[in-house]
């Protein structure tokens, strides 16, 4: 079983597993937290998306996360404190 280590570079303070799964979780967590800033939420075009330093990530995993969290619709659920309910 992989060891768990604290995240670095993210203020969320959650833990992740080492390896490819951990990298995917780290990237998706960044987009869960900050993706709304780069999302296209204004149908009239008055408000432009704002880049965030934690989202300046390239690669297939980042593209997947960006398509989920930075497109024209999203759902906020990270504020739910109960882990089982949030899942």
């Amino acid at each position: 079983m992989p060891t768990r280590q604290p995240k670095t570079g993210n203020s969320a303070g959650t833990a992740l597993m080492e390896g490819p799964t951990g990298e995917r979780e780290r990237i998706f967590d960044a987009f869960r937290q900050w993706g709304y800033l780069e999302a296209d939420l204004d149908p009239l075009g008055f408000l432009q998306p704002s880049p965030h330093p934690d989202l300046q990530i390239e690669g297939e995993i980042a593209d997947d996360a960006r398509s989920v969290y930075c497109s024209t619709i999203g759902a906020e659920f990270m504020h739910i404190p109960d882990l089982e309910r949030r899942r």
Side-chain angles (χ1 to χ4, degrees), residues 21-64:
T21 302
E23 178 70 6
R24 183 174 179 83
E25 276 300 310
R26 183 187 67 76
I27 292 171
F28 267 79
D29 189 48
F31 278 92
R32 281 184 203 109
Q33 187 171 8
W34 303 112
Y36 72 95
L37 294 173
E38 292 188 5
D40 182 14
L41 301 176
D42 181 13
L44 300 177
F46 293 117
L47 301 174
Q48 297 301 313
S50 173
H52 190 277
D54 286 355
L55 303 183
Q56 303 309 307
I57 306 167
E58 299 295 326
E60 185 179 336
I61 297 171
D63 291 342
D64 289 345

